Amino acid sequence: MASRATVEVASTERVAIWAQVDRLPDRQRQVMYLRYQADLSFEDIGQVMGIQPGAARSYATAAHRALRSALVDGAER
């Protein structure tokens, strides 16, 4: 069983990640919420957003890159 401190750290990290997601460009942000909050496939995301599934994947890839960069830069400060 996880300790309370571990759970609190995990919660804090999730909040930090979603705060960074909120700073992404519109389409990247929408794809991230649809993928990870609504648990939709890229095919479903494409239908919801009116784009091709490949475009949804590309937006997700760009978002992951931006998040990784922002979170690594923030951790180094």
Side-chain angles (χ1 to χ4, degrees):
M1 179 173 258
S3 72
R4 182 179 173 137
T6 302
V7 171
E8 288 176 7
V9 168
S11 293
T12 301
E13 289 172 353
R14 279 194 299 275
V15 169
I17 291 168
W18 286 106
Q20 287 297 325
V21 169
D22 288 339
R23 294 182 179 130
L24 293 171
D26 289 341
R27 292 224 173 193
Q28 290 178 18
R29 184 177 62 249
Q30 290 168 348
V31 166
M32 296 301 283
Y33 272 97
L34 291 171
R35 182 73 174 149
Y36 296 103
Q37 295 291 329
D39 198 29
L40 297 181
S41 68
F42 288 117
E43 289 74 20
D44 291 338
I45 293 169
Q47 288 179 349
V48 167
M49 293 180 65
I51 60 177
Q52 295 295 317
R57 281 185 186 87
S58 293
Y59 285 123
T61 299
H64 284 129
R65 245 185 241 123
L67 290 170
R68 191 175 306 115
S69 176
L71 293 169
V72 167
D73 288 347
E76 292 176 353
R77 290 182 192 172

